[in-house]
Amino acid sequence: MTRALIFSYSFLFFSTFCFSQEKVKFMDFSFITISSEEETLYKTKAPYTLLYFYNPDCEDCTKIKKELSKSKELKKLNEKGDIIVLAILPDVEKEYWQDNKKFIPKEWKNCWIANDKLIIQTYLRTLPTFYLLDQDKYIYLTPNSKDLLEWIKLRYSENNNN
């Protein structure tokens, strides 16, 4: 039964976001950064935005975060302003998020959302979850970690060849 539900959710997810030719815009939301600044997704300015939904107690989240934080290409793209990483710890109290701030690399934006129920219901089926958005906040890619690392390397090499 559980596998059937997972398959159904996966099929719905991939048919909606990955295989659709129609562009889907990620909903705007407000967030608080670790430096207590309030921002919104749509006001972030970069050619690409990587949304990384995680939980510090999740083994896969820890593994993937380590892979991403070791990526020299991601660091360079981030430094150049080509991509911004928003790390979001969903469905937790603000104090828990603040207590776990060291989980996220300093060059990423560590974010907390006060009212994230709609985002959870609409976009999250499991953790970690990634969304790569273009500059207009349309979903460009809903990758797994391997696909994401490949895209980062490709984007980095494209930037260095121009």
Side-chain angles (χ1 to χ4, degrees):
M1 178 68 179
T2 303
R3 287 183 185 193
L5 282 173
I6 291 171
F7 177 76
S8 296
Y9 280 129
S10 296
F11 181 75
L12 176 65
F13 175 78
F14 285 111
S15 64
T16 302
F17 296 115
C18 296
F19 301 127
S20 174
Q21 297 298 318
E22 186 177 325
K23 286 179 132 185
V24 177
K25 198 166 194 173
F26 203 96
M27 73 174 63
D28 196 14
F29 60 89
S30 297
F31 57 89
I32 305 290
T33 65
I34 209 70
S35 59
S36 300
E37 296 174 39
E38 188 169 339
E39 299 182 27
T40 67
L41 174 64
Y42 284 12
K43 289 185 180 175
T44 57
K45 300 294 179 207
Y48 293 96
T49 302
L50 175 61
L51 301 178
Y52 167 59
F53 294 93
Y54 73 97
N55 186 310
D57 297 328
C58 160
E59 286 182 35
D60 287 338
C61 299
T62 301
K63 179 183 170 197
I64 291 167
K65 188 244 344 178
K66 285 180 182 177
E67 288 178 33
L68 289 172
S69 61
K70 287 181 186 176
S71 169
K72 293 174 187 171
E73 295 89 354
L74 179 59
K75 281 185 182 181
K76 294 289 185 188
L77 290 171
N78 194 338
E79 287 169 4
K80 288 175 67 175
D82 194 46
I83 192 169
I84 185 168
V85 181
L86 301 182
I88 303 162
L89 176 55
D91 201 27
V92 296
E93 297 297 323
K94 189 174 185 180
E95 293 75 27
Y96 180 80
W97 166 69
Q98 289 171 324
D99 290 345
N100 287 282
K101 66 184 175 187
K102 291 184 179 180
F103 184 80
I104 298 301
K106 290 181 182 179
E107 53 276 354
W108 300 1
K109 280 199 178 192
N110 193 344
C111 309
W112 180 75
I113 305 171
N115 187 4
D116 59 3
K117 299 301 181 214
L118 189 56
I119 289 173
I120 291 168
Q121 292 170 352
T122 307
Y123 299 104
L124 302 182
R125 303 289 179 253
T126 185
L127 293 176
T129 296
F130 303 96
Y131 285 94
L132 185 62
L133 311 178
D134 68 13
Q135 66 186 5
D136 298 318
K137 307 310 179 232
Y138 284 96
I139 298 171
Y140 182 76
L141 189 61
T142 53
N144 61 35
S145 61
K146 182 179 175 189
D147 292 341
L148 180 59
L149 289 168
E150 290 300 316
W151 180 88
I152 289 168
K153 288 178 185 176
L154 179 65
R155 183 71 186 161
Y156 178 79
S157 66
E158 287 173 358
N159 276 357
N160 284 340
N161 289 333
N162 292 332

